[in-house]
Amino acid sequence: LKVALNLHPASGIQPYEAVYDDFTKEYEWSEKGKSVPFKIDERKWADAYFKTVLEPMERNGVDFWWLDWQQWKESKYTPGLSNTFWLNHTFFNHAERQNPGLRPFIYHRWGGLGSHRYPLAFSGDTYATWPMLAYLPYFTATASNVNYGWWGHDIGGHMFHKTQKATDPELYTRWLQYGVFTPIFKTHSTKDPRIERCIWCFPDHMFLMRDAIRLRYTLAPYIYNAARENYDTGVGMCRPMYYDYPESDKAYETPEQFMFGNDILATTITQPVDSITGLAPRTIWFPEGTWFDCATGSMYEGGRTEELHYTLAENPHYAKAGSIIPMNPATVKNLQQPCDTLVLTFIPGGDGQLRHYEDDGMSQQYKTNYAVTTVTKKQEGNTVRVRISPREGSFAGASDSRSYELRFPAVFPPKSVKVNGKELAYSRFPKAGEWTYDGYTLAPVIYTGTTVCDAPVEIELAFDDYATAHQADLYGMSGVFKRCLDLTVEFKTEQGAHSEPYLMLPEEYLRVSQCPNFILEEPFRIAEFIGAYAKNKAALFEKTDSMTIIGDNFKQRLKAVIGSVK
């Protein structure tokens, strides 16, 4: 945990403050008993302020300052000087002097051009409304046009209009989902008893909110890679589509979507789900290439616009086919220390390469002391080969070894898996040095066990002809499987409300909803299960249409939720 205090310094130093005597003595203030006006642009005042007011609190455990200046724009004593900008400058340099060698850190507001020198920043006070959420993707991404890429917003919105009575948990959920793909992930609000930001206060939405937070934690290695690229190139992590696709007119006409790093196209859902179907629409323009929907497992060809529909549980984002996404394991609890396992997610649809960046996370030695690990994936015929090259470079505290977890979503189980020439055993409940198959994401998952970082790791997956020829059959299936987790509960409730509560769900539905569990138990029979899946899906709707113990609204919902996955 780090401790920050929020500063509103415009009122200067007041006689009732405990620091008044120390400050006035240091400042040589002659009007004892009277307030000392704010004068951050006077060196003597600023030196006294840092020495007698702030540094004692820093010694007591304040790690950084949150500068929340929102009063008069320009200094009363230095014409043309922005108070916000000068506060950012003085506090950033103070932080650097106080902790030489460490990365100076403040949290601040925009103070005009040049404010990108003083990360990190926040946009100020926003209303908690759907239109505000809809505006933020454009607002956030275009800030990179002036290199102001390291900022974020009060997730959930900062304040309410007078007519708003309580926090809308659906809006808050969508805001959290969007926040995953912004440079700063921070909930906050003004002191208003109507506003709630603790996720456990929304039991019907709590786990969806938690999933967004967990996704952010697992994506930390990907985000850190993008941070290094921003440092090297000046190109913002969160940027408009026209950065990457400047020749396409569509790139200038889609303010609701943006690139988050080099490999993820992100967006947000900006309206409530339909009351019957439980789905919300999102129109997406897919640039050239092929794009994998990380929420549903679907694959989309670029050069077209699609209207897609998502449940509240789904956070739509799309990865470039063939990209390799570095991630933390789902068990990550602390971002101050690197995990001993690096998860590599290999997006289907092509070959790819990753340059995974690491440094000590604290010092300014990142300018010269850092490490890069290159990962490549290439498929030749029925064989997929992954090479994790020896780590190049080093930094203070770099671990000599680590484990890898390799995930291949929307891929059939391989016939064999080898790591450095040694064949790994399949296990339903794997440990290090084994592999398994995830029936819900349709992914082989390989656990290498501990490997040294200065030696290569070679992974080879061998598939049969059927798996290679039918991989596209898997696209979109994981979305149906995951949606059925909620639908099954709703189906039982709907059926129980009109008949005996212990009546079994129709077999046609169970054969669709339980397909991932069949695969989990017997992954090498997946071709058989997949072959039956399409027939069972068609039979499902015929069966439910004929059922009299479920309502028409639920029939419509069932068709929409299962049928809208492409």
Side-chain angles (χ1 to χ4, degrees):
L1 295 177
K2 301 293 182 183
V3 176
L5 292 185
N6 179 281
L7 291 180
H8 286 258
S11 59
I13 309 298
Q14 301 298 324
Y16 56 78
E17 294 185 76
V19 297
Y20 182 80
D21 289 341
D22 289 341
F23 178 87
T24 53
K25 180 180 179 181
E26 182 72 23
Y27 184 50
E28 299 177 333
W29 178 245
S30 59
E31 301 181 51
K32 291 294 184 179
K34 292 187 178 181
S35 62
V36 186
F38 172 82
K39 275 190 179 181
I40 193 66
D41 49 334
E42 181 187 83
R43 180 183 291 274
K44 184 177 179 181
W45 192 98
D47 287 344
Y49 181 58
F50 284 117
K51 180 178 179 180
T52 66
V53 179
L54 300 186
E55 289 178 14
M57 287 188 276
E58 292 169 353
R59 288 192 292 271
N60 283 336
V62 175
D63 294 294
F64 66 96
W65 298 102
W66 176 353
L67 290 165
D68 207 352
W69 182 270
Q70 51 186 270
Q71 286 74 28
W72 57 95
K73 182 176 180 180
E74 292 187 357
S75 166
K76 296 179 179 180
Y77 310 99
T78 306
L81 178 66
S82 161
N83 280 314
T84 306
F85 187 92
W86 194 245
L87 279 166
N88 296 344
H89 177 77
T90 55
F91 271 75
F92 188 83
N93 284 280
H94 168 74
E96 191 166 35
R97 288 193 302 271
Q98 287 298 102
N99 297 289
L102 297 183
R103 301 174 197 179
F105 184 81
I106 61 172
Y107 193 45
H108 65 94
R109 288 176 181 259
W110 163 257
L113 293 174
S115 292
H116 67 279
R117 298 185 181 100
Y118 314 114
L120 301 172
F122 70 107
S123 60
D125 301 344
T126 55
Y127 282 105
T129 64
W130 286 101
M132 178 60 70
L133 176 59
Y135 179 65
L136 288 182
Y138 164 80
F139 183 71
T140 308
T142 54
S144 62
N145 290 342
V146 291
N147 208 6
Y148 198 62
W150 287 105
W151 72 334
H153 320 285
D154 291 346
I155 289 175
H158 181 79
M159 56 195 176
F160 277 3
H161 291 291
K162 291 182 179 179
T163 56
Q164 291 173 274
K165 297 180 180 180
T167 299
D168 178 349
E170 182 177 357
L171 172 60
Y172 186 29
T173 300
R174 291 302 192 193
W175 214 307
L176 280 163
Q177 291 173 344
Y178 162 66
V180 171
F181 302 102
T182 59
I184 303 171
F185 188 76
K186 174 199 66 123
T187 61
H188 179 62
S189 75
T190 189
K191 291 187 288 185
D192 184 330
R194 298 172 295 170
I195 302 176
E196 183 55 73
R197 291 290 171 260
C198 297
I199 68 172
W200 50 87
C201 293
F202 308 100
D204 292 338
H205 298 75
M206 178 180 69
F207 294 113
L208 307 183
M209 296 174 178
R210 185 193 62 179
D211 288 345
I213 297 169
R214 178 172 288 162
L215 177 59
R216 175 70 176 201
Y217 268 66
T218 56
L219 281 174
Y222 175 85
I223 294 170
Y224 209 64
N225 278 3
R228 178 68 198 203
E229 179 152 337
N230 175 230
Y231 170 76
D232 288 336
T233 68
V235 176
M237 169 198 305
C238 181
R239 55 187 184 259
M241 297 301 297
Y242 48 77
Y243 275 45
D244 294 68
Y245 305 94
E247 303 302 321
S248 173
D249 290 342
K250 278 288 187 180
Y252 301 85
E253 301 168 357
T254 54
E256 70 282 355
Q257 64 184 70
F258 54 94
M259 292 301 296
F260 187 67
N262 291 334
D263 295 319
I264 292 178
L265 189 165
T267 186
T268 185
I269 302 295
T270 58
Q271 64 188 75
V273 298
D274 181 82
S275 60
I276 295 177
T277 66
L279 298 172
R282 175 77 274 172
T283 300
I284 294 293
W285 168 66
F286 290 105
E288 60 190 46
T290 311
W291 298 85
F292 182 73
D293 188 333
C294 297
T296 67
S298 299
M299 188 73 81
Y300 297 99
E301 290 298 323
R304 66 178 70 183
T305 298
E306 300 269 3
E307 182 173 294
L308 308 174
H309 295 81
Y310 294 96
T311 68
L312 185 55
E314 293 167 341
N315 186 1
H317 59 289
Y318 315 90
K320 286 182 181 177
S323 59
I324 305 170
I325 309 296
M327 304 175 72
N328 283 324
T331 54
V332 60
K333 300 286 186 182
N334 184 351
L335 298 183
Q336 291 299 117
Q337 300 171 348
C339 295
D340 59 5
T341 297
L342 179 64
V343 177
L344 299 172
T345 299
F346 295 83
I347 303 301
D351 297 335
Q353 177 175 293
L354 164 71
R355 284 176 54 81
H356 178 57
Y357 170 82
E358 298 167 283
D359 62 33
D360 65 23
M362 296 185 299
S363 79
Q364 297 198 51
Q365 294 300 311
Y366 66 87
K367 298 171 183 178
T368 55
N369 296 345
Y370 58 88
V372 173
T373 302
T374 300
V375 182
T376 58
K377 175 232 172 181
K378 188 173 184 179
Q379 181 163 355
E380 296 176 341
N382 292 349
T383 302
V384 171
R385 291 185 175 86
V386 173
R387 175 180 169 84
I388 303 172
S389 297
R391 186 173 63 194
E392 299 177 24
S394 190
F395 53 89
S399 176
D400 294 332
S401 62
R402 67 168 155 228
S403 300
Y404 292 96
E405 177 184 323
L406 288 73
R407 306 185 68 90
F408 298 82
V411 171
F412 280 88
K415 293 191 302 180
S416 66
V417 174
K418 294 180 181 179
V419 174
N420 290 335
K422 178 183 177 182
E423 186 164 343
L424 270 56
Y426 165 82
S427 174
R428 177 71 176 83
F429 304 100
K431 57 182 184 293
E434 296 180 336
W435 71 277
T436 192
Y437 192 78
D438 183 343
Y440 277 88
T441 58
L442 299 170
V445 184
I446 300 167
Y447 300 89
T448 64
T450 303
T451 64
V452 292
C453 294
D454 61 358
V457 183
E458 307 274 359
I459 301 98
E460 181 181 292
L461 293 80
F463 298 89
D464 58 29
D465 292 339
Y466 181 90
T468 303
H470 290 266
Q471 183 179 344
D473 295 350
L474 303 182
Y475 295 150
M477 291 187 66
S478 66
V480 173
F481 293 164
K482 286 181 274 190
R483 289 182 177 189
C484 282
L485 292 172
D486 291 329
L487 273 178
T488 297
V489 177
E490 296 173 24
F491 205 154
K492 289 179 178 179
T493 302
E494 175 75 13
Q495 190 169 265
H498 299 280
S499 64
E500 293 185 28
Y502 296 106
L503 187 67
M504 287 290 291
L505 296 180
E507 182 178 342
E508 292 83 355
Y509 174 77
L510 292 174
R511 289 189 179 278
V512 171
S513 65
Q514 296 305 306
C515 186
N517 292 321
F518 302 154
I519 295 170
L520 281 170
E521 293 298 331
E522 298 183 88
F524 298 103
R525 293 179 60 194
I526 187 172
E528 174 187 338
F529 298 138
I530 296 299
Y533 169 82
K535 298 177 182 178
N536 293 330
K537 193 174 175 181
L540 162 63
F541 298 134
E542 292 180 11
K543 175 64 177 181
T544 54
D545 283 344
S546 67
M547 293 177 67
T548 59
I549 59 172
I550 59 174
D552 290 339
N553 283 352
F554 184 74
K555 292 177 184 179
Q556 183 178 342
R557 175 169 170 73
L558 195 68
K559 283 185 177 180
V561 171
I562 293 179
S564 63
V565 179
K566 299 184 179 182

